[in-house]
Coordinates of all heavy atoms in Angstrom, one line a residue:
A158 N -50.6 46.1 -24.8 CA -49.4 46.1 -24.0 C -49.6 47.3 -22.9 O -50.3 48.2 -23.2 CB -48.1 46.3 -24.9
Y159 N -49.0 47.1 -21.8 CA -49.0 48.1 -20.8 C -47.6 48.4 -20.1 O -46.8 47.3 -20.1 CB -50.0 47.7 -19.7 CG -49.8 46.4 -19.0 CD1 -49.1 46.4 -17.9 CD2 -50.3 45.2 -19.5 CE1 -48.7 45.2 -17.2 CE2 -50.0 44.0 -18.9 CZ -49.2 44.0 -17.8 OH -49.0 42.8 -17.1
E160 N -47.4 49.5 -19.6 CA -46.1 49.8 -19.0 C -46.1 49.3 -17.6 O -47.1 49.3 -16.9 CB -45.8 51.3 -19.0 CG -45.7 51.9 -20.4 CD -44.2 51.5 -20.9 OE1 -43.4 51.1 -20.0 OE2 -44.0 51.6 -22.1
V161 N -45.0 48.7 -17.1 CA -44.9 48.3 -15.8 C -44.5 49.4 -14.8 O -43.5 50.3 -15.2 CB -43.7 47.2 -15.7 CG1 -43.5 46.8 -14.3 CG2 -44.0 46.0 -16.6
S162 N -45.3 49.7 -13.9 CA -45.0 50.9 -13.0 C -43.8 50.7 -12.1 O -43.4 49.6 -11.9 CB -46.3 51.1 -12.1 OG -46.4 50.1 -11.1
W163 N -43.2 51.8 -11.6 CA -42.1 51.7 -10.9 C -42.4 51.0 -9.4 O -41.6 50.3 -9.0 CB -41.6 53.2 -10.5 CG -42.5 54.0 -9.6 CD1 -43.5 54.8 -10.0 CD2 -42.4 54.0 -8.2 NE1 -44.1 55.3 -9.0 CE2 -43.6 54.9 -7.8 CE3 -41.8 53.3 -7.2 CZ2 -43.9 55.1 -6.5 CZ3 -42.1 53.6 -5.9 CH2 -43.1 54.5 -5.5
L164 N -43.6 51.1 -9.1 CA -44.0 50.3 -7.9 C -43.9 48.9 -8.1 O -43.4 48.1 -7.2 CB -45.5 50.8 -7.4 CG -46.0 50.2 -6.1 CD1 -45.1 50.6 -5.0 CD2 -47.4 50.6 -5.9
T165 N -44.5 48.4 -9.2 CA -44.3 46.9 -9.5 C -42.9 46.5 -9.7 O -42.6 45.4 -9.1 CB -45.1 46.7 -10.8 OG1 -46.5 47.2 -10.7 CG2 -45.1 45.2 -11.1
V166 N -42.1 47.3 -10.2 CA -40.7 47.0 -10.5 C -40.1 46.8 -9.1 O -39.3 45.8 -8.8 CB -39.9 48.1 -11.3 CG1 -38.5 47.8 -11.2 CG2 -40.5 47.9 -12.7
W167 N -40.1 47.8 -8.2 CA -39.5 47.8 -7.0 C -40.0 46.8 -5.9 O -39.4 46.3 -5.1 CB -39.3 49.2 -6.4 CG -38.4 50.0 -7.2 CD1 -38.7 51.0 -8.1 CD2 -36.9 49.8 -7.2 NE1 -37.5 51.5 -8.7 CE2 -36.4 50.7 -8.2 CE3 -36.0 49.2 -6.5 CZ2 -35.1 50.9 -8.4 CZ3 -34.7 49.2 -6.8 CH2 -34.2 50.1 -7.7
Y168 N -41.3 46.4 -6.0 CA -41.9 45.5 -5.2 C -41.3 44.1 -5.6 O -41.0 43.3 -4.8 CB -43.5 45.4 -5.5 CG -44.1 44.3 -4.8 CD1 -44.3 44.3 -3.3 CD2 -44.6 43.1 -5.4 CE1 -44.9 43.2 -2.7 CE2 -45.1 42.1 -4.7 CZ -45.3 42.2 -3.4 OH -45.8 41.1 -2.7
G169 N -41.2 43.9 -6.9 CA -40.5 42.6 -7.4 C -39.2 42.6 -7.0 O -38.7 41.5 -6.7
F170 N -38.4 43.8 -6.9 CA -37.1 43.8 -6.4 C -37.0 43.4 -4.9 O -36.2 42.7 -4.4 CB -36.4 45.2 -6.6 CG -35.2 45.4 -5.8 CD1 -34.0 44.8 -6.4 CD2 -35.1 46.2 -4.7 CE1 -32.7 45.1 -5.8 CE2 -33.9 46.4 -4.1 CZ -32.7 45.8 -4.5
L171 N -38.0 43.9 -4.2 CA -38.1 43.6 -2.7 C -38.2 42.1 -2.5 O -37.6 41.4 -1.6 CB -39.2 44.4 -2.0 CG -39.5 44.0 -0.6 CD1 -38.2 44.3 0.3 CD2 -40.7 44.8 0.0
V172 N -39.1 41.5 -3.3 CA -39.4 40.1 -3.1 C -38.1 39.2 -3.5 O -37.7 38.3 -2.8 CB -40.5 39.6 -4.1 CG1 -40.6 38.0 -4.1 CG2 -41.8 40.1 -3.6
Q173 N -37.3 39.8 -4.6 CA -36.0 39.1 -4.9 C -35.0 39.2 -3.8 O -34.3 38.2 -3.6 CB -35.5 39.7 -6.2 CG -36.2 39.3 -7.4 CD -35.6 40.0 -8.7 OE1 -35.2 41.2 -8.6 NE2 -35.4 39.3 -9.7
T174 N -35.0 40.4 -3.1 CA -34.1 40.5 -2.1 C -34.3 39.7 -1.0 O -33.4 39.0 -0.5 CB -34.1 42.0 -1.5 OG1 -33.8 42.9 -2.7 CG2 -33.2 42.2 -0.4
L175 N -35.6 39.4 -0.6 CA -35.9 38.5 0.5 C -35.6 37.1 0.2 O -35.0 36.4 1.0 CB -37.4 38.6 0.8 CG -37.9 40.0 1.4 CD1 -39.5 40.0 1.6 CD2 -37.2 40.2 2.8
A176 N -35.8 36.8 -1.2 CA -35.5 35.4 -1.7 C -34.0 35.1 -1.6 O -33.5 34.0 -1.2 CB -36.1 35.2 -2.9
Y177 N -33.2 36.1 -2.0 CA -31.7 36.0 -2.1 C -31.2 35.7 -0.6 O -30.4 34.9 -0.4 CB -31.1 37.2 -2.6 CG -31.3 37.4 -4.1 CD1 -31.0 38.6 -4.7 CD2 -31.8 36.3 -4.8 CE1 -31.3 38.8 -6.1 CE2 -31.9 36.5 -6.3 CZ -31.8 37.7 -6.8 OH -31.9 37.9 -8.2
Y178 N -31.6 36.6 0.4 CA -31.1 36.4 1.7 C -31.7 35.2 2.4 O -30.9 34.6 3.3 CB -31.5 37.7 2.5 CG -30.5 38.8 2.2 CD1 -31.0 40.0 1.6 CD2 -29.2 38.9 2.5 CE1 -30.2 41.1 1.3 CE2 -28.3 39.8 2.2 CZ -28.8 41.0 1.6 OH -28.0 42.1 1.3
L179 N -32.9 34.8 2.1 CA -33.4 33.5 2.7 C -32.6 32.4 2.1 O -32.2 31.4 2.8 CB -34.8 33.3 2.3 CG -35.5 32.1 2.9 CD1 -35.5 32.1 4.4 CD2 -37.0 32.1 2.3
T180 N -32.2 32.5 0.8 CA -31.4 31.3 0.2 C -30.0 31.2 0.9 O -29.6 30.2 1.2 CB -31.2 31.6 -1.3 OG1 -32.4 31.7 -1.9 CG2 -30.4 30.5 -2.0
A181 N -29.5 32.5 1.1 CA -28.1 32.5 1.8 C -28.2 32.0 3.2 O -27.3 31.2 3.6 CB -27.7 33.9 1.9
A182 N -29.4 32.2 3.9 CA -29.4 31.7 5.3 C -29.7 30.2 5.2 O -29.0 29.5 6.2 CB -30.7 32.4 6.0
I183 N -30.4 29.7 4.4 CA -30.7 28.2 4.3 C -29.5 27.5 3.9 O -29.0 26.5 4.6 CB -31.8 27.9 3.5 CG1 -33.2 28.5 4.0 CG2 -31.9 26.4 3.2 CD1 -34.4 28.3 3.0
S184 N -28.8 27.9 2.9 CA -27.6 27.2 2.5 C -26.4 27.3 3.4 O -25.7 26.3 3.6 CB -27.1 27.8 1.0 OG -26.9 29.1 1.1
G185 N -26.4 28.5 4.1 CA -25.3 28.6 5.1 C -25.6 27.8 6.3 O -24.6 27.2 7.0
Y186 N -26.9 27.6 6.7 CA -27.2 26.7 7.7 C -26.8 25.3 7.5 O -26.3 24.6 8.4 CB -28.7 26.8 8.0 CG -29.3 25.8 9.0 CD1 -29.1 25.9 10.3 CD2 -30.0 24.5 8.4 CE1 -29.6 24.9 11.1 CE2 -30.4 23.6 9.4 CZ -30.3 23.8 10.7 OH -30.7 22.8 11.5
W187 N -27.0 24.8 6.2 CA -26.7 23.5 5.9 C -25.2 23.1 5.9 O -24.6 22.2 6.2 CB -27.3 23.0 4.5 CG -28.7 22.7 4.7 CD1 -29.8 23.3 4.3 CD2 -29.3 21.5 5.4 NE1 -30.9 22.7 4.6 CE2 -30.7 21.6 5.2 CE3 -28.7 20.4 6.0 CZ2 -31.5 20.6 5.8 CZ3 -29.5 19.4 6.6 CH2 -30.9 19.5 6.4
N188 N -24.5 24.3 5.5 CA -23.0 24.3 5.5 C -22.5 24.1 7.0 O -21.7 23.2 7.4 CB -22.4 25.5 4.9 CG -20.9 25.5 5.1 OD1 -20.4 25.9 6.0 ND2 -20.2 25.2 4.0
Q189 N -23.2 24.8 7.9 CA -22.7 24.7 9.3 C -23.0 23.3 9.9 O -22.3 22.7 10.6 CB -23.5 25.8 10.1 CG -23.0 27.1 9.9 CD -23.8 28.2 10.7 OE1 -24.8 28.0 11.2 NE2 -23.1 29.4 11.0
Q190 N -24.2 22.8 9.5 CA -24.6 21.5 9.9 C -23.7 20.4 9.4 O -23.2 19.5 10.2 CB -26.1 21.1 9.5 CG -27.1 21.9 10.2 CD -27.2 21.8 11.6 OE1 -26.7 22.7 12.4 NE2 -27.6 20.7 12.1
L191 N -23.3 20.4 8.2 CA -22.3 19.5 7.6 C -20.9 19.7 8.3 O -20.3 18.6 8.6 CB -22.1 19.8 6.1 CG -23.4 19.3 5.4 CD1 -23.1 19.8 3.8 CD2 -23.6 17.7 5.4
T192 N -20.6 20.9 8.7 CA -19.3 21.1 9.3 C -19.3 20.5 10.7 O -18.3 19.8 11.1 CB -18.9 22.6 9.4 OG1 -18.9 23.2 8.0 CG2 -17.6 22.9 10.0
R193 N -20.3 20.7 11.4 CA -20.5 20.1 12.8 C -20.5 18.6 12.7 O -19.8 17.9 13.6 CB -21.9 20.6 13.3 CG -21.7 22.1 13.8 CD -23.1 22.6 14.2 NE -23.1 24.0 14.5 CZ -24.2 24.7 14.7 NH1 -25.4 24.1 14.6 NH2 -24.1 26.0 14.9
L194 N -21.2 18.0 11.8 CA -21.1 16.6 11.6 C -19.7 16.0 11.3 O -19.3 15.0 11.8 CB -22.0 16.1 10.4 CG -22.1 14.7 10.1 CD1 -22.6 13.8 11.3 CD2 -23.0 14.3 8.9
Q195 N -18.9 16.7 10.4 CA -17.6 16.2 10.1 C -16.7 16.4 11.3 O -15.9 15.6 11.6 CB -17.1 17.2 9.0 CG -17.7 16.8 7.6 CD -17.2 17.8 6.6 OE1 -16.7 18.8 6.8 NE2 -17.4 17.4 5.3
K196 N -16.9 17.5 12.1 CA -16.2 17.7 13.3 C -16.4 16.6 14.3 O -15.6 16.1 15.1 CB -16.5 19.0 14.0 CG -15.6 19.3 15.3 CD -16.0 20.7 15.7 CE -15.2 21.0 17.0 NZ -15.6 22.4 17.6
F197 N -17.7 16.2 14.5 CA -18.2 15.1 15.4 C -17.5 13.8 14.9 O -16.9 13.1 15.8 CB -19.6 15.0 15.4 CG -20.2 13.9 16.2 CD1 -20.1 14.0 17.5 CD2 -20.8 12.8 15.7 CE1 -20.5 12.9 18.4 CE2 -21.3 11.8 16.4 CZ -21.2 11.9 17.8
Q198 N -17.5 13.5 13.7 CA -16.8 12.4 13.2 C -15.3 12.3 13.4 O -14.8 11.4 13.8 CB -17.0 12.2 11.6 CG -18.5 11.9 11.2 CD -18.7 11.9 9.8 OE1 -17.9 12.6 9.0 NE2 -19.7 11.2 9.3
R199 N -14.7 13.5 13.2 CA -13.3 13.7 13.5 C -12.9 13.3 15.1 O -12.0 12.6 15.4 CB -12.7 15.0 13.2 CG -12.5 15.2 11.7 CD -11.7 16.4 11.5 NE -12.3 17.7 12.0 CZ -13.0 18.4 11.4 NH1 -13.4 18.1 10.1 NH2 -13.5 19.5 11.8
E200 N -13.8 13.8 15.9 CA -13.5 13.7 17.4 C -13.7 12.2 17.8 O -13.1 11.6 18.6 CB -14.6 14.5 18.1 CG -14.3 16.0 18.0 CD -15.3 16.9 18.7 OE1 -16.4 16.3 19.2 OE2 -15.1 18.1 18.9
I201 N -14.8 11.5 17.1 CA -14.9 10.1 17.5 C -13.7 9.3 17.1 O -13.2 8.5 17.8 CB -16.2 9.5 16.7 CG1 -17.4 10.1 17.4 CG2 -16.2 8.1 16.8 CD1 -18.7 9.7 16.6
L202 N -13.3 9.6 15.7 CA -12.1 8.7 15.3 C -10.9 9.1 16.0 O -10.0 8.1 16.2 CB -12.0 8.9 13.8 CG -13.1 8.4 12.9 CD1 -12.8 8.8 11.4 CD2 -13.2 6.9 13.1
D203 N -10.6 10.3 16.3 CA -9.4 10.7 17.0 C -9.3 10.2 18.5 O -8.2 10.2 19.0 CB -9.2 12.2 16.9 CG -8.7 12.7 15.6 OD1 -8.2 11.9 14.8 OD2 -8.8 13.9 15.3
N204 N -10.4 9.9 19.0 CA -10.5 9.4 20.5 C -10.4 7.8 20.4 O -10.5 7.3 21.4 CB -11.6 9.9 21.2 CG -11.5 11.4 21.6 OD1 -10.6 11.6 22.4 ND2 -12.2 12.3 20.9
M205 N -10.4 7.2 19.2 CA -10.2 5.7 19.2 C -8.8 5.3 19.6 O -7.8 6.0 19.2 CB -10.5 5.2 17.8 CG -12.0 5.4 17.4 SD -12.3 4.9 15.7 CE -11.6 3.3 15.6
N206 N -8.7 4.2 20.3 CA -7.4 3.7 20.6 C -6.7 3.0 19.5 O -5.5 2.8 19.4 CB -7.4 2.8 21.8 CG -7.8 3.5 23.1 OD1 -7.3 4.8 23.3 ND2 -8.5 2.9 24.0

Side-chain angles (χ1 to χ4, degrees):
Y159 60 92
E160 290 288 337
V161 179
S162 69
W163 68 269
L164 182 61
T165 302
V166 170
W167 289 103
Y168 175 77
F170 170 74
L171 176 61
V172 172
Q173 284 179 322
T174 299
L175 294 175
Y177 291 165
Y178 283 114
L179 181 61
T180 301
I183 294 174
S184 59
Y186 169 79
W187 281 110
N188 175 277
Q189 290 180 337
Q190 293 300 106
L191 290 172
T192 301
R193 288 171 184 167
L194 178 60
Q195 291 174 343
K196 182 179 179 181
F197 178 67
Q198 291 175 335
R199 285 195 298 270
E200 290 174 350
I201 291 176
L202 293 178
D203 282 344
N204 284 287
M205 292 172 56
N206 292 324

